[in-house]
Amino acid sequence: MARVRLVNVTKRYGSVVAADHVNLDIAQGEFVTLLGPSGCGKTTTLRMVAGLIEPSEGEIYFDDQEVGHVPPNKRNVGFVFQSHALFPHLTVADNVGFGLSVRGAKKEFIQQRVKEMLALVNLSGYEKRMPAQLSGGQQQRVALARVLATDPQVLLFDEPLSSLDRNLRDQLKHSIRELQQKTGKTAIFVTHDQSEAFAISDRIFVMNQGRVEQGGTQVELYLHPQTQFVAEFLGSNNCLRGMVVDSEPTSGGAQRVAVEVGGRKLVARHPQPPPPGSPVLAYLRPENIMVLEPGSNGAANVVDGIVDRVIFDGSVVHLHVDTDVARLLVEVGGARRLELMASSGSRVRLGFDELTIVPAAPGAQALGHEAGAR
């Protein structure tokens, strides 16, 4: 196990900046995920930690040792790639023991270690099978066993589940987390799939255009996004363009903020809101909007509208509602969703307690669902 630190790590390819002053501090035994879209710099960052790519500038530390110029075979990391990369002509046992045999370990030790690793990944009894006789999920578990056999101090995963179907991905992501917890290894996992990141991580770092936009726990990122990209990349969001009117402190330490949207004042909350007159993007999660009883004022913000479209999605129903401030996407679950199935064209009252606001850059364009101004 090791603490991993990246200090202003940058990678340039000519004029292209693939990773831009990345700073990470990963505790010993922690499971951290780098999350972002294709081309955001997450895999480049992972490969620099592994030593497969040399940084253009910055330092990488394993505990107190700077390893930026240490070759990969001297870093004692285990790297699990997107492809299983098993040797097709070797048995499962020989694949798992390959790294140990290259290091000159004794035959008896290799046999015992292979047995332990296959038990760890629930593949005991598969020693003599060939890779072609295994399913995709089993092959990936053999790849995990092979990496763990050499006892690396840091585990690195580069989208290891991307080639598998959804059911296998759901099973294996939890298996990977359980293995990491059993072994106590420091782990860095790369994915573009937020459901994977949310399910298995201690902390998540959202990357965009080579930079870390925001880091934190799942709850911190989802409930308190600090930038437009994070707010719109994680889950569904209604994006309302508005302007800060005023703010006042509350007992909880945050500021109660009044935001003007479409001629209406709506309540938001922010620890350090922009000054009055500042343009902001106000975000509202569809699942945080309540369908109120007619005439009810049971929320801090109340708007009336007409249901334009109803989409049934099994466990939830999605309503597209034209209100006096914007067109809002509303998500309703439970028994209430069935009552609203025939609500198209009906007038409804919506309520929500708070908006999440982030400063709006001049000319900023919404990345996800932007509520239509009325």
Side-chain angles (χ1 to χ4, degrees):
M1 296 184 293
R3 176 189 179 191
V4 179
R5 288 187 297 134
L6 279 68
V7 181
N8 291 322
V9 172
T10 299
K11 181 60 183 179
R12 299 186 186 89
Y13 294 99
S15 61
V16 176
V17 181
D20 189 3
H21 293 86
V22 175
N23 289 279
L24 300 173
D25 192 343
I26 303 167
Q28 180 175 300
E30 189 176 18
F31 195 115
V32 159
T33 295
L34 305 183
L35 174 66
S38 298
C40 72
K42 57 189 186 296
T43 292
T44 298
T45 300
L46 191 76
R47 288 174 175 264
M48 286 191 287
V49 174
L52 302 176
I53 298 175
E54 189 170 324
S56 301
E57 61 182 75
E59 296 86 43
I60 300 173
Y61 293 90
F62 287 2
D63 292 327
D64 294 325
Q65 180 187 6
E66 206 285 315
V67 297
H69 302 289
V70 175
N73 62 325
K74 301 295 183 181
R75 295 195 187 189
N76 193 21
V77 300
F79 202 117
V80 181
F81 295 89
Q82 292 182 24
S83 63
H84 316 310
L86 300 179
F87 296 108
H89 60 289
L90 297 181
T91 64
V92 165
D94 289 339
N95 266 285
V96 174
F98 181 79
L100 294 172
S101 63
V102 169
R103 297 183 181 188
K106 293 183 178 180
K107 184 176 180 181
E108 294 78 12
F109 175 79
I110 294 175
Q111 290 175 340
Q112 181 59 33
R113 186 67 174 167
V114 167
K115 184 178 180 180
E116 292 173 358
M117 292 303 99
L118 288 179
L120 192 63
V121 298
N122 296 317
L123 287 178
S124 295
Y126 285 70
E127 288 85 349
K128 295 183 179 180
R129 294 199 188 186
M130 306 300 289
Q133 297 174 301
L134 305 177
S135 68
Q138 290 169 337
Q139 289 182 40
Q140 192 61 284
R141 279 190 278 161
V142 172
L144 283 170
R146 181 176 59 187
V147 165
L148 291 169
T150 58
D151 195 25
Q153 58 179 336
V154 180
L155 293 174
L156 306 176
F157 300 89
D158 186 13
E159 303 209 46
L161 310 179
S162 61
S163 63
L164 304 176
D165 62 48
R166 177 172 294 277
N167 288 337
L168 277 177
R169 289 202 305 271
D170 288 342
Q171 293 172 18
L172 274 179
K173 68 186 179 186
H174 295 297
S175 296
I176 288 173
R177 177 57 166 160
E178 289 170 4
L179 284 172
Q180 183 268 338
Q181 290 178 320
K182 286 179 181 178
T183 60
K185 305 289 185 185
T186 305
I188 306 175
F189 190 94
V190 159
T191 184
H192 64 275
D193 187 331
Q194 64 176 274
S195 66
E196 284 182 11
F198 274 42
I200 61 179
S201 309
D202 292 317
R203 284 189 298 155
I204 300 167
F205 292 90
V206 180
M207 296 191 67
N208 180 38
Q209 297 182 340
R211 287 182 171 272
V212 175
E213 289 259 343
Q214 185 178 345
T217 65
Q218 297 88 323
V219 173
E220 289 168 346
L221 294 172
Y222 192 80
L223 297 183
H224 306 292
Q226 296 173 0
T227 69
Q228 176 186 359
F229 179 83
V230 175
E232 299 185 11
F233 184 72
L234 298 179
S236 298
N237 241 331
N238 291 288
C239 177
L240 309 173
R241 296 179 181 275
M243 183 180 69
V244 175
V245 178
D246 56 53
S247 62
E248 60 181 18
T250 66
S251 58
Q255 298 275 323
R256 182 181 175 89
V257 187
V259 179
E260 184 176 322
V261 178
R264 289 279 303 274
K265 283 187 180 180
L266 302 176
V267 175
R269 199 175 291 266
H270 197 279
Q272 295 180 321
S278 300
V280 292
L281 298 175
Y283 289 99
L284 177 59
R285 297 281 183 190
E287 68 269 22
N288 290 339
I289 304 175
M290 300 172 285
V291 179
L292 304 175
E293 295 300 325
S296 171
N297 291 308
N301 301 295
V302 175
V303 296
D304 294 307
I306 297 175
V307 179
D308 176 69
R309 187 156 45 126
V310 179
I311 300 174
F312 182 69
D313 194 20
S315 60
V316 298
V317 66
H318 303 279
L319 308 179
H320 294 257
V321 183
D322 289 323
T323 76
D324 53 357
V325 295
R327 181 174 182 139
L328 298 177
L329 175 63
V330 183
E331 186 176 287
V332 182
R336 188 71 189 280
R337 78 191 191 284
L338 301 177
E339 300 173 17
L340 295 167
M341 280 296 297
S343 63
S344 182
S346 301
R347 191 164 186 82
V348 293
R349 172 160 285 196
L350 305 177
F352 49 95
D353 289 327
E354 293 180 2
L355 295 164
T356 298
I357 60 172
V358 301
Q365 298 296 315
L367 303 177
H369 176 81
E370 182 172 8
R374 301 296 295 165

